[in-house]
Amino acid sequence: DVVLTQTPPTLSATIGQSVSISCRSSQSLLDSDGDTYLNWLLQRPGQSPQLLIYSVSNLESGVPNRFSGSGSETDFTLKISGVEAEDLGVYYCMQATHAPLTFGSGTKLEIK
Amino acid sequence: QVQLKESGPGLVQPSQTLSLTCTVSGFSLTSNSVHWVRQPPGKGLEWMGGIWGDGSTDYNSALKSRLSISRDTSKSQVFLKMNSLQTDDTAIYFCTEGLDAWGQGASVTVSS
């Protein structure tokens, strides 16, 4: 199974600060169809996960553009440019290139 | 508007079978995939399996021997059945449409 390693496990930020979360895959997530199925989700406290970014860098409809994703093959990054209070929660990367689908262990974002 | 709602028993006895239903609206089961994802208390997300638009299924190999996912397209429902439950199957069980839209989750406790 593909192992996704997220760092850091926890992140503390002030409002307005920019932060980045890393997701490294144990194997390339480039699919034979040319797409890379690496997504980012946010789970706010007590809520269901919410898709933020799909296929590395595509912003899901309704998601603020302070969120951005980048990367390729095995190294991926989620950046939040100007953290807001509503961004607190746990961020997960997940891959859908290889079966079984797998998730990273999560990065908890706390607001100082 | 895409919506999903999980339903099922909140308490299951050890060694028994878990049956959950995901009732969906706003999309067609014959065009979109539905997946089951679970989250043990205080832990991360685990993909359990999914059923695709053509009716084919994929399962997490760690659960495959105990898990079955099926659907009734006329009722817009997807079903999860998992047997031989143990205490470490205690979790919130989510259904999700293509990992885009998520249900609120169903809390399941395995206990005698």
Side-chain angles (χ1 to χ4, degrees), chain B residues 9-82:
Chain B
L11 180 65
V12 179
Q13 296 205 338
S15 80
Q16 297 302 301
T17 297
L18 172 65
S19 294
L20 294 174
T21 299
C22 175
T23 303
V24 309
S25 60
F27 67 97
S28 171
L29 290 178
T30 58
S31 302
N32 298 68
S33 64
V34 172
H35 301 261
W36 289 93
V37 175
R38 69 178 180 175
Q39 184 172 39
K43 296 189 177 181
L45 302 168
E46 178 186 30
W47 178 77
M48 300 180 71
I51 186 164
W52 303 92
D54 63 2
S56 62
T57 52
D58 280 311
Y59 299 107
N60 186 327
S61 55
L63 301 171
K64 189 173 184 177
S65 63
R66 302 195 287 141
L67 183 62
S68 174
I69 297 174
S70 60
R71 69 185 186 185
D72 183 335
T73 55
S74 67
K75 295 183 178 179
S76 294
Q77 292 180 324
V78 176
F79 309 105
L80 176 148
K81 289 189 188 300
M82 188 163 71

Side-chain angles (χ1 to χ4, degrees), chain A residues 41 43 48-49 51 92 100-101, chain B residues 39 47 94 99-100 102-104:
Chain A
L41 301 93
Q43 187 174 30
S48 304
L51 181 65
Y92 294 95
L101 281 63
Chain B
Q39 184 172 39
W47 178 77
F94 297 99
L99 297 155
D100 293 348
W102 293 65
Q104 64 192 16

